[in-house]
Amino acid sequence: MTHHFYETCAYFTAARYMRTVESLATQTFKPTGMKPAYAYIMLALEDHHPQTVTELATTLGYDRSSIYRMVQRLESQALLHMTTVGKSAMIDLLPASTTFLKTANQCLDTWGALTSEKLGPDKAMMTQLLTTNNEKLRR
């Protein structure tokens, strides 16, 4: 008997896809000197800052503890600053983030072009399905 999970299991196929995506994204975002997740935190802050750890976690879909840990690393690189306001940790960009963000935005553009080239017209539909299905599973 051969198992069918290679093609039909949402967990297995999504995890296999993510391992491939993570490898390609890590190569693409290498010029930032950090893993892609760090660049996405910075890009989310570029879109709206300051933000709390909770806001970033909600926006990016990470646990608050993971965001907090990654923000601490970015803070150690003098790219952002975190302050405590009541029970919240508020995060804001520092002037040194400008260079990092320029590189991160270039990597994001490269990533977009690479995935458009490799996935073609399936990219938009697949991304929408992943977004919708993620929302369904999180409820």
Side-chain angles (χ1 to χ4, degrees):
M1 175 180 131
T2 301
H3 291 94
H4 58 85
F5 69 87
Y6 304 104
E7 306 296 328
T8 61
C9 175
Y11 169 78
F12 179 81
T13 56
R16 180 177 55 194
Y17 175 80
M18 279 309 303
R19 287 189 295 274
T20 302
V21 167
E22 185 67 33
S23 177
L24 287 171
T26 297
Q27 291 171 13
T28 304
F29 282 85
K30 194 171 188 171
T32 67
M34 296 186 182
K35 295 276 189 182
Y38 292 90
Y40 282 103
I41 288 172
M42 295 295 291
L43 292 165
L45 284 166
E46 183 180 42
D47 287 341
H48 175 72
H49 64 95
Q51 288 190 56
T52 65
V53 168
T54 301
E55 289 169 333
L56 276 173
T58 300
T59 298
L60 298 175
Y62 285 96
D63 291 332
R64 285 190 342 247
S65 61
S66 296
I67 291 290
Y68 188 81
R69 188 178 58 256
M70 289 187 278
V71 163
Q72 286 180 313
R73 178 160 181 221
L74 291 163
E75 187 173 38
S76 76
Q77 301 290 313
L79 297 171
L80 50 78
H81 181 67
M82 182 167 42
T83 55
T84 304
V85 178
K87 292 184 178 183
S88 296
M90 188 65 68
I91 306 154
D92 206 354
L93 298 172
L94 291 174
S97 67
T98 304
T99 302
F100 181 91
L101 284 166
K102 181 178 179 186
T103 302
N105 277 292
Q106 290 168 346
C107 292
L108 184 62
D109 290 344
T110 300
W111 176 249
L114 174 69
T115 55
S116 290
E117 175 190 321
K118 292 195 174 278
L119 300 174
D122 292 338
K123 178 182 172 179
M125 182 177 62
M126 181 209 57
T127 303
Q128 181 58 47
L129 277 171
L130 287 171
T131 300
T132 302
N133 288 334
N134 181 58
E135 291 168 1
K136 288 177 186 176
L137 289 172
R138 291 180 69 89
R139 288 187 210 134

